[in-house]
Amino acid sequence: MNSSTQNLLIPGNVGQLEIAINLPSGASPVGIALIAHPNPARGGTMEHKIVHTLARTFLQMNYATVRFNYRGVGKSEGEYDEGKGETDDAATVLNYAQTHLGLNTLVLAGFSFGSFIQVELANRLMGHDTYSNIKGLVLVGPAVGSFPIANIPENLSSVIIQGQNDEIISTDEVLLWAYEQKRPVVIFPKCGHFFHGRLLELQNELLQRRAVFALQ
């Protein structure tokens, strides 16, 4: 992201995992924002523009941001595993980041396939001490219909953002999935899946909702 990015290789379940950590400038981090990238089978990596946008946004909220490449992407070893192994990767990176940074407060954010991974991770963490530290989920263009995305745990806050004219994920399916859980969805009118020309708007939308993440 910039010259202050810490690029690291850490042990994973099937080999090394590539991660990138950024710390907020001029302030101590209030927690960790773990950010998951889109579908690696379609070329998704931690360098995706929406992943970077999410990272920049949470840096402004004084979170340490942690991006990572799933197995088989970039310098991460292994092969694509349709979600299960990628959720394992997310859990491994989160555990490393908490230990390495000494921070407990968490936000899980993801774009498209990354949203599916973060919902899987949140459900997996239920019953663990780490779960109580999750302040919320940010799900941008969640991959409803493309992957078997579960319900968000009832007691977790969420911000769901969807493009009205998403050409990859059905907006109607996203709305049905969210509304069945009584969760609101922020719709970006005349916006496609990749938020072309709308990244600053996406960032501002999240900054306006910082109270969701227990920040003032």
Side-chain angles (χ1 to χ4, degrees), residues 17 36-48 51 68-74 76-87 89 111-117 143 147 193-194:
L17 290 171
H37 70 71
N39 194 346
R42 295 190 174 187
T45 78
M46 68 176 179
E47 304 302 337
H48 191 280
V51 173
F68 64 101
N69 277 330
Y70 309 123
R71 58 189 61 195
V73 179
S76 293
E77 297 175 332
E79 297 179 353
Y80 175 60
D81 195 32
E82 300 183 347
K84 183 180 184 301
E86 288 78 9
T87 305
D89 297 339
F111 168 56
S112 197
F113 175 85
S115 290
F116 162 58
I117 296 301
F147 293 91
H193 186 66
F194 296 104

Side-chain angles (χ1 to χ4, degrees), residues 35-167:
I35 302 167
H37 70 71
N39 194 346
R42 295 190 174 187
T45 78
M46 68 176 179
E47 304 302 337
H48 191 280
K49 65 180 183 178
I50 292 180
V51 173
H52 274 282
T53 297
L54 291 171
R56 284 194 297 270
T57 303
F58 279 102
L59 281 171
Q60 288 192 41
M61 296 186 197
N62 289 329
Y63 273 85
T65 65
V66 181
R67 295 172 290 126
F68 64 101
N69 277 330
Y70 309 123
R71 58 189 61 195
V73 179
K75 295 179 181 178
S76 293
E77 297 175 332
E79 297 179 353
Y80 175 60
D81 195 32
E82 300 183 347
K84 183 180 184 301
E86 288 78 9
T87 305
D88 292 341
D89 297 339
T92 296
V93 173
L94 180 59
N95 182 66
Y96 174 86
Q98 287 185 288
T99 302
H100 177 70
L101 297 172
L103 298 167
N104 292 318
T105 300
L106 305 172
V107 172
L108 306 180
F111 168 56
S112 197
F113 175 85
S115 290
F116 162 58
I117 296 301
Q118 296 292 37
V119 173
E120 289 293 297
L121 179 60
N123 278 283
R124 182 185 294 190
L125 291 173
M126 290 181 68
H128 295 266
D129 291 342
T130 299
Y131 181 79
S132 62
N133 296 317
I134 302 173
K135 295 301 180 183
L137 289 154
V138 173
L139 310 175
V140 179
V144 178
S146 297
F147 293 91
I149 189 167
N151 285 345
I152 299 166
E154 289 185 8
N155 61 334
L156 283 187
S157 299
S158 65
V159 177
I160 303 169
I161 300 178
Q162 174 70 17
Q164 178 189 22
N165 299 332
D166 194 317
E167 67 280 16

Side-chain angles (χ1 to χ4, degrees), residues 6-27:
Q6 301 174 38
N7 294 294
L8 303 169
L9 296 173
I10 67 170
N13 290 353
V14 292
Q16 65 187 13
L17 290 171
E18 183 180 15
I19 73 172
I21 298 174
N22 284 86
L23 302 177
S25 60

